[in-house]
Amino acid sequence: MRDVMYLEQIEQAETLLKPQRIEVLRQLAEPHTCTEVAAQLGQTPQRVYYHVKRLVEAGLVDQVSERRVRGISEGIYQASAQSYWLSPRLVGRIGLRRAQDEMSLGYLLNLMEEVQADVAALDRTAPELPSIGVSGEIRVPAEQRQQFLTDLQTALQDLFTRYGGAEGDAFKLAVACYPHGGTT
């Protein structure tokens, strides 16, 4: 089972985004038969099998084994991933984003789409994938936002200069600042 499955095909998203299928998928975090899932959800095995079949066709669920019960083969299924991540490209860009201002929401959305696409393209089959994550909270009064941006750009430029050589693992750095908890 993969950690994350990045969905870029509209057919996969359409298959996944049905409340009943999401419930079936949650039950398949561990390997189960359709009969077992049906009992958990209070559904008929036939109804669950219908949903499982669609999830298998979309590549969201795998048949991991099979067993014989009273002379009948019964599939054992498991979700293909622990979580599913929908690409922003499934909807596509509606209109033009004109956001060039580094302090605008549009710029932040463009940056997040770029980061999401970059992360999705990483080789998640690698035994160890070097990455760095840092998160924190700061408070910047409105009148100091421009100075904060300037200070941040200066600090980052120092890092880019200091670690911008040709040797070592290449990392992409993206920094995002957004209101936390509804406060501004």
Side-chain angles (χ1 to χ4, degrees):
M1 177 187 283
R2 292 183 253 177
D3 285 338
V4 177
M5 179 180 278
Y6 191 63
L7 304 181
E8 296 183 275
Q9 297 174 11
I10 193 76
E11 298 80 15
Q12 287 179 310
E14 287 173 341
T15 299
L16 176 64
L17 296 177
K18 303 217 182 297
Q20 183 118 31
R21 289 196 187 135
I22 291 173
E23 288 305 314
V24 168
L25 197 58
R26 284 189 179 122
Q27 294 297 316
L28 294 175
E30 299 295 326
H32 291 292
T33 65
C34 291
T35 303
E36 293 168 338
V37 172
Q40 288 292 323
L41 298 178
Q43 301 289 326
T44 66
Q46 294 82 3
R47 184 176 179 112
V48 169
Y49 178 73
Y50 170 80
H51 292 298
V52 168
K53 185 175 178 183
R54 297 296 171 272
L55 291 164
V56 168
E57 289 169 354
L60 306 174
V61 165
D62 300 313
Q63 183 173 342
V64 294
S65 65
E66 192 173 80
R67 69 180 180 198
R68 300 215 30 101
V69 177
R70 290 172 270 177
I72 298 173
S73 289
E74 187 173 37
I76 299 174
Y77 301 92
Q78 185 172 17
S80 300
Q82 291 179 346
S83 62
Y84 297 84
W85 200 5
L86 299 174
S87 169
R89 290 182 180 87
L90 287 170
V91 173
R93 186 156 291 168
I94 308 297
L96 297 174
R97 277 215 186 114
R98 297 184 197 99
Q100 296 302 317
D101 178 4
E102 292 172 324
M103 291 199 293
S104 71
L105 179 59
Y107 188 88
L108 179 62
L109 290 171
N110 287 338
L111 178 61
M112 292 301 102
E113 282 183 20
E114 183 180 325
V115 169
Q116 184 173 349
D118 287 349
V119 170
L122 294 174
D123 179 11
R124 288 178 296 279
T125 62
E128 186 174 319
L129 193 59
S131 59
I132 301 168
V134 177
S135 178
E137 184 175 316
I138 59 171
R139 297 193 179 268
V140 181
E143 65 275 3
Q144 292 181 328
R145 286 184 188 151
Q146 185 58 52
Q147 183 60 47
F148 170 73
L149 178 60
T150 301
D151 291 348
L152 182 60
Q153 288 171 327
T154 301
L156 292 174
Q157 191 56 51
D158 177 55
L159 291 173
F160 296 148
T161 302
R162 196 173 336 156
Y163 296 101
E167 294 185 22
D169 293 330
F171 288 91
K172 184 169 184 177
L173 176 64
V175 176
C177 292
Y178 52 90
H180 181 257
T183 60
T184 56

